[in-house]
Amino acid sequence: MKVHVNMDICLLHGQCVIAAPEIFSFDDNGDLHWVEVIDDSQVADAEAASDACPEQAIILG
Amino acid sequence: MAGPRITVVGASLAGLRTAEALRTALPQAQLTLIGDEPHAPYNRPPLSKDVMESFAGGDADETEAFGKLLLRSKLTPEDVSTRLGVAATGIEKAGVRLADGSLVRSDWVIAATGIRPRRLPLPGNEDIRHVLRGFDDARALAPMLQPGARLAVIGAGFIGCEIAATARKLGLHVTIVEPGPQPMMRALGPRVAAAMATLHRRHGVTLLTGRSVEAYQPGRVILDNGKEIEADVIVEALGSLPNTEWLTGSGADLSDGVLVDDTMRAIGAPNLLAVGDIARFANPLFDDVPRRVEHWCIPGFTAKRAAQTIAALEAGDTPEPGFSPLPSFWSDQYGMRVQAFGAPALAETQTVVEGDLSQIGEAPVIVEYARNGALTGVIGLGAPPALIAKHRARLMAALTPKETV
Ligand SMILES: Cc1cc2nc3c(=O)[nH]c(=O)nc-3n(C[C@H](O)[C@H](O)[C@H](O)COP(=O)(O)OP(=O)(O)OC[C@H]3O[C@@H](n4cnc5c(N)ncnc54)[C@H](O)[C@@H]3O)c2cc1C
Ligand code: SF4
C-alpha cells in the first residue's frame, strides 16, 4: 500500500505520528516524514492514522 | 444466517466511525445509519476556523466548501442503509422510532446524537442571533460577518473564542461577554486562560469577563452592570446540551448525556450503546468519575470500542475490560495552535516548562498540568509538533502506570 500526505492541507496536528509512529514522524525542523510504501502488516496502523487526521490529509492507495 | 440488526442514530463523526468499525468487526450485520441533518456526515472543526473565514470572505462557494468538509469513508450504500433528514424520536423494545412514524427494527442501538448549543433564554434580536454547531448554522452566520460589522460573542469557550478570532481577521469589531473570570478557563486553567485573554485583547477584541447578559434590546446587548453593547450580529456560544430526548424511557441514565460503562454500553439499557460527544464514561487514566468529553478524537476511540463490544457479545464472549483513551484537542486562534493532551481541566496546578506565557502567540510555550502532584495533561501554545510530541511522551509515561492499578 502507498501512503501519501497532501501537504497543502496538512496542518501538522501530528495525530498521525501518534497513531502510527512507525510510518509517520517529525524531524528536528518539525517537518513531517512518512514511509511511502508499507507492507500489509502496517495497513491497519496507516488506516488508524488516516482516521485520526483531522484534516483528512492522508491518502492511502 | 442474517447478522444482527444494528441501528446507529446520529450521522456525524461518531456515527460514521461506528458504522465503519461495525462493518469491519461484524461483516454479517445489517447496518442502518440515521441522521436528522440533510447532509452526509461532515467535519465540524473548520466551521469556526478556516471554512468560516473563506465562506464569509466570499472566496468559497457553498458546494465546494461543503465538499471539503465531507468525511471520507470506505462504506458503500451496500454496507449500510443510510437515512438522512429524519430524526429518531423514540426508542422501543423493537427498535428506533423515527419522526416519519416508521420503526427501524433493531437488535442493537447506538446513540451518536451529539450535542446542541445552549441558548440564552431571553427574547429579542431573533433576526441577528446565531449559534454554531452545524453546516446550516455556518451558512446562516457567514454572510453576517462583514468587515466593519459589530459582533457580540456571548460565551468565551473554544467555539466563541475561535469565532471571535476569525471575525477579527475578517475585520469586524468584536466584543466577547463571558460570565467567568477568564476565557476558556475550565479547559485551560487560570494561568493559560489569562494569557489567552491577553492574546485576544492584543488582537483588538473587547473582552468583558465576569459579565452576563441581562436582556436584549433591538441591536443591543444589555449586560448585568447596565452596560450596553451595540451589535449587528450576535453569536451565543454558551456550551451545550446533549441530544438525548429520544432516549427517554430507555432505562439509561440521561442526567448528562448517556452514562456508559467501559464497553460503551448504557447502564440500565443493555442493548443501547453510546459514542462520541454524548457518551459519559470514566477514564481510568485519571479517575473513576464518568464525564462527557467534547473533543474530535473521542468519536474515533468510542466507535471502535462499541464495535468490539457488540462483536464480542454476538460471538458469546465477554468484551475485554478496560477503556482508557488519551484525550487530545486542538484549537486555532490568530494563527496560533493550542494543542492539548490528557485532561488539563482536572489539574489544580500549571507549570510552564518551556517558553514564557507573556510571549504567547510570539514564541512556543509548553505548560504541564498536575493534580496531587501527578501529571494529568500538557498543552502546547504555538509550539512546533516535535516539541509537543516530546512532552506528550512525558505525559504518557506518567499516566500509564495508573492504568494497571
Ligand atoms: C464549530 C465547532 C468547532 C470545533 N472545533 C474543534 C476543535 O478544534 N478541536 C476538537 O477537538 N473538537 C472540536 N469540535 C468538537 C467536535 O467537532 C465534536 O467533538 C464532534 O463533532 C463530535 O462528534 P459526534 O458525532 O459525537 O457529535 P455531532 O458531531 O454533534 O453529531 C451528532 C449528529 O446527530 C444528529 N442528531 C441529533 N439528534 C438526533 C436525532 N434525534 N435523530 C437523528 N439524528 C440526530 C445531529 O444533528 C448530528 O448530525 C468542534 C465542534 C464545533 C461545532
Ligand atoms: S494528522 Fe494529518 S494534519 Fe496532522 S500531521 Fe498528520 S497528516 Fe498532517
Side-chain angles (χ1 to χ4, degrees):
Chain A
M1 183 183 265
K2 280 196 184 141
V3 178
H4 180 70
V5 180
N6 181 346
M7 291 313 288
D8 291 340
I9 53 177
C10 167
L11 289 179
L12 297 175
H13 285 273
Q15 296 294 338
C16 54
V17 177
I18 296 164
E22 273 150 28
I23 304 172
F24 301 92
S25 57
F26 288 120
D27 67 18
D28 290 340
N29 297 325
D31 291 333
L32 183 68
H33 295 270
W34 61 93
V35 181
E36 294 191 2
V37 181
I38 54 171
D39 58 46
D40 290 350
S41 67
Q42 292 177 303
V43 169
D45 283 353
E47 283 176 348
S50 169
D51 280 353
C53 172
E55 309 302 327
Q56 305 197 81
I58 300 172
I59 300 148
L60 305 175
Chain B
M1 199 190 74
R5 298 163 303 182
I6 310 180
T7 304
V8 181
V9 183
S12 180
L13 185 60
L16 179 69
R17 292 288 179 254
T18 305
E20 290 170 348
L22 283 166
R23 180 44 70 228
T24 309
L26 275 168
Q28 304 302 322
Q30 304 170 51
L31 300 180
T32 307
L33 179 62
I34 290 162
D36 62 358
E37 290 183 89
H39 312 296
Y42 61 89
N43 210 15
R44 291 176 203 275
L47 292 177
S48 48
K49 311 179 180 76
D50 38 342
V51 163
M52 182 57 76
E53 193 185 324
S54 54
F55 243 33
D59 18 313
D61 84 62
E62 278 184 9
T63 333
E64 190 192 318
F66 188 71
K68 285 188 189 148
L69 293 177
L70 269 180
L71 290 166
R72 283 197 318 244
S73 176
K74 284 185 305 203
L75 289 178
T76 64
E78 290 75 51
D79 288 325
V80 54
S81 120
T82 303
R83 299 195 49 188
L84 298 176
V86 59
T89 51
I91 185 162
E92 300 168 14
K93 252 204 169 61
V96 176
R97 183 68 67 179
L98 303 188
D100 61 10
S102 61
L103 178 76
V104 184
R105 295 188 177 276
S106 322
D107 302 304
W108 298 96
V109 175
I110 299 175
T113 42
I115 56 181
R116 62 177 180 275
R118 219 149 52 78
R119 307 211 62 145
L120 272 184
L122 295 172
N125 284 331
E126 279 80 11
D127 51 333
I128 57 167
R129 281 163 75 179
H130 293 258
V131 290
L132 185 58
R133 180 73 192 169
F135 183 67
D136 294 339
D137 300 328
R139 192 151 57 174
L141 175 61
M144 312 284 289
L145 300 184
Q146 294 304 320
R150 295 158 304 178
L151 167 69
V153 178
I154 319 297
F158 281 103
I159 292 178
C161 286
E162 287 183 355
I163 295 168
T166 301
R168 281 301 298 146
K169 214 165 158 192
L170 289 164
L172 282 82
H173 303 284
V174 180
T175 303
I176 306 182
V177 180
E178 162 61 41
Q182 302 289 357
M184 300 165 283
M185 170 93 162
R186 202 166 45 95
L188 300 179
R191 289 184 63 196
V192 175
M196 290 301 290
T198 307
L199 184 70
H200 277 274
R201 290 190 172 116
R202 204 193 291 152
H203 281 86
V205 169
T206 306
L207 174 60
L208 306 174
T209 53
R211 290 272 80 94
S212 55
V213 177
E214 188 102 337
Y216 284 131
Q217 279 173 11
R220 275 200 305 259
V221 179
I222 317 296
L223 303 189
D224 55 347
N225 61 348
K227 191 180 153 76
E228 299 188 2
I229 302 163
E230 295 192 4
D232 304 303
V233 50
I234 299 167
V235 176
E236 295 178 3
L238 303 141
S240 54
L241 295 170
N243 294 319
T244 49
E245 290 78 1
W246 66 283
L247 292 167
T248 306
S250 62
D253 176 340
L254 306 177
S255 47
D256 175 25
V258 183
L259 180 65
V260 296
D261 64 14
D262 65 354
T263 71
M264 301 296 115
R265 288 176 91 185
I267 293 171
N271 294 325
L272 174 70
L273 291 84
V275 292
D277 276 4
I278 56 161
R280 183 156 62 97
F281 59 94
N283 190 331
L285 285 182
F286 309 108
D287 52 31
D288 55 9
V289 181
R291 296 182 184 88
R292 287 193 308 106
V293 187
E294 296 175 13
H295 303 336
W296 191 90
C297 64
I298 296 299
F301 293 130
T302 50
K304 283 207 181 66
R305 183 66 177 154
Q308 285 164 2
T309 299
I310 298 183
L313 293 169
E314 282 288 327
D317 299 333
T318 312
E320 272 174 52
F323 179 65
S324 50
L326 181 70
S328 68
F329 67 83
W330 80 97
S331 175
D332 293 322
Q333 297 170 35
Y334 307 108
M336 187 189 78
R337 164 76 45 85
V338 178
Q339 175 75 63
F341 290 102
L346 300 182
E348 59 224 2
T349 59
Q350 303 164 49
T351 314
V352 176
V353 291
E354 307 236 11
D356 179 343
L357 280 175
S358 68
Q359 301 254 294
I360 189 167
E362 284 152 23
V365 183
I366 302 269
V367 183
E368 283 187 346
Y369 290 74
R371 177 169 68 175
N372 300 328
L375 275 188
T376 64
V378 61
I379 291 186
L381 302 155
L387 183 63
I388 299 177
K390 194 181 93 187
H391 287 274
R392 178 186 168 276
R394 245 176 76 81
L395 173 68
M396 283 299 276
L399 287 176
T400 314
K402 269 212 260 107
E403 226 181 323
T404 57
V405 183

